[in-house]
Amino acid sequence: MQIGMVGLGRMGSNMVQRLLKKGHQCAVYDSHAAAAETLTDMGAIACAKLEDLVASLPQPRAIWLMVPAAVVDGVLDNLAPLLDEGDIVIDGGNSSYHDDIRRARVLETKGIHYLDIGTSGGVAGLERGYCLMIGGEHDTFTYLEPIFAALAPGPDTAPLTYGRTASTADLGYLHCGAHGAGHFVKMIHNGIEYGIMAAYAEGLNILHKANIGQHSRSADAETTPLRNPEHYQYDLDVPEITELWRRGSVIGSWLLDLTAQALQGNPELDNYTGHVSDSGEGRWALAAAVDQGVPTPVLSAALFSRFESRGNADYANRVLSAMRKQFGGHIEKPKGGAIA
């Protein structure tokens, strides 16, 4: 098949490469023309303008947007007038499913089809394949299945669950429902991801601090004493433990594999500041949970932890310190002052 790709960042470029390797033809466009250079060497058609991209594709055209959620509407404003009835637009980024519902309605008035596709796989997707969560018209999904099959990991990623009848989910792509369903599923996927990541991070931090009993601590009214320092005398090799857990453990996962890789050669992770971003899905997942009345304490804590990592709790912490000084005369200790 032939498809256009708009947005050649970390994900978009690798997706094009995977499609080309599987025999599909790709026309590509990025606002930074240099992003297309390596792809042209592989057989992609580089386009200087959206008009060129549209003109290079046969009808019905299929154009995949792999751009940040914040710029999708702007790209659509420029792209939609160039399209014809029967053409297909795909948003494969991390948009809100609310936006998908709105965009699908607008494009439908022009006879243009729309799919929202939650895409998971990260920078490793080129080799591993991409998990695709797809929302929109079923006929449009069916028409583009060869593209999805090429991008997806395929049947050898995991064994078939005992007792089930195989479906496209076993290949790594699934039509989840009507417009917005794909990004709704991806939204929850990323909320869960936040929670798993937080659990690993917090657990490994406890292991990292298991030798706290070897250090002297201040003995004053501002420092909670460590009552049994003999219980915390372990110099644990955290990288080795993550390698151990990768083999036969119930908490093994690809995220743990990646964590183990990050720890190799730099167990202190001192090349990171701990400033953890969020791209919106965790927030939207909590909003949906509130609307549904569904409790999500783990996902909430993971999201708020990311906010705190970026310094957004600094003022609140200063308020706490000020209140302690006011009611008890407690003098604030410098950061890191608990352990001498």
Side-chain angles (χ1 to χ4, degrees), residues 175-194:
H175 181 253
C176 298
H179 294 118
H183 279 145
F184 189 94
V185 173
K186 180 58 160 47
M187 172 182 77
I188 303 307
H189 166 284
N190 281 26
I192 293 170
E193 176 187 298
Y194 287 16

Side-chain angles (χ1 to χ4, degrees), residues 21-273:
K21 289 180 179 180
K22 296 294 182 75
H24 296 282
Q25 297 175 306
C26 298
V28 299
Y29 167 79
D30 192 279
S31 57
H32 299 91
E37 290 177 1
T38 58
L39 300 175
T40 56
D41 294 338
M42 299 179 64
I45 301 170
C47 301
K49 299 181 294 184
L50 284 176
E51 290 86 350
D52 298 336
L53 181 80
V54 172
S56 69
L57 295 169
Q59 293 178 274
R61 306 175 185 91
I63 299 178
W64 191 307
L65 309 184
M66 208 64 194
V67 298
V71 304
V72 171
D73 282 329
V75 173
L76 280 176
D77 287 344
N78 293 321
L79 177 63
L82 306 175
L83 300 179
D84 295 307
E85 185 174 344
D87 288 347
I88 303 165
V89 174
I90 301 159
D91 178 8
N94 283 327
S95 290
S96 166
Y97 75 99
H98 293 167
D99 292 330
D100 294 319
I101 295 170
R102 170 180 54 81
R103 291 168 186 153
R105 288 174 178 166
V106 172
L107 292 173
E108 186 179 20
T109 65
K110 304 176 182 180
I112 299 170
H113 304 286
Y114 179 84
L115 293 179
D116 53 281
I117 302 184
T119 307
S120 182
V123 294
L126 174 58
E127 299 300 327
R128 287 171 51 95
Y130 300 89
C131 176
L132 304 175
M133 297 149 262
I134 304 166
E137 301 158 335
H138 195 275
D139 288 347
T140 307
F141 159 79
T142 301
Y143 175 74
L144 289 174
E145 273 203 71
I147 295 293
F148 305 146
L151 288 170
D156 299 328
T157 306
L160 187 68
T161 299
Y162 178 76
R164 71 176 256 104
T165 301
S167 75
T168 64
D170 301 289
L171 304 177
Y173 67 95
L174 180 68
H175 181 253
C176 298
H179 294 118
H183 279 145
F184 189 94
V185 173
K186 180 58 160 47
M187 172 182 77
I188 303 307
H189 166 284
N190 281 26
I192 293 170
E193 176 187 298
Y194 287 16
I196 295 172
M197 291 173 70
Y200 279 136
E202 292 176 11
L204 294 178
N205 198 26
I206 296 172
L207 296 177
H208 182 66
K209 297 290 187 182
N211 63 357
I212 194 172
Q214 299 175 15
H215 302 277
S216 60
R217 293 169 62 87
S218 300
D220 56 49
E222 303 305 314
T223 305
T224 302
L226 183 63
R227 297 185 183 280
N228 298 104
E230 69 275 13
H231 293 171
Y232 302 98
Q233 297 289 324
Y234 304 116
D235 291 311
L236 298 176
D237 191 327
V238 176
E240 284 296 289
I241 292 169
T242 59
E243 290 295 339
L244 171 68
W245 286 349
R246 292 179 62 208
R247 294 161 174 85
S249 166
V250 72
I251 62 168
S253 71
W254 185 44
L255 273 174
L256 183 60
D257 297 344
L258 297 175
T259 304
Q261 183 62 52
L263 289 167
Q264 288 304 309
N266 187 15
E268 295 298 320
L269 299 176
D270 50 18
N271 55 330
Y272 295 93
T273 64

Side-chain angles (χ1 to χ4, degrees), residues 315-329:
Y315 184 74
N317 291 334
R318 291 198 296 272
V319 171
L320 291 172
S321 191
M323 287 191 289
R324 292 187 79 247
K325 175 68 173 354
Q326 292 300 314
F327 68 68

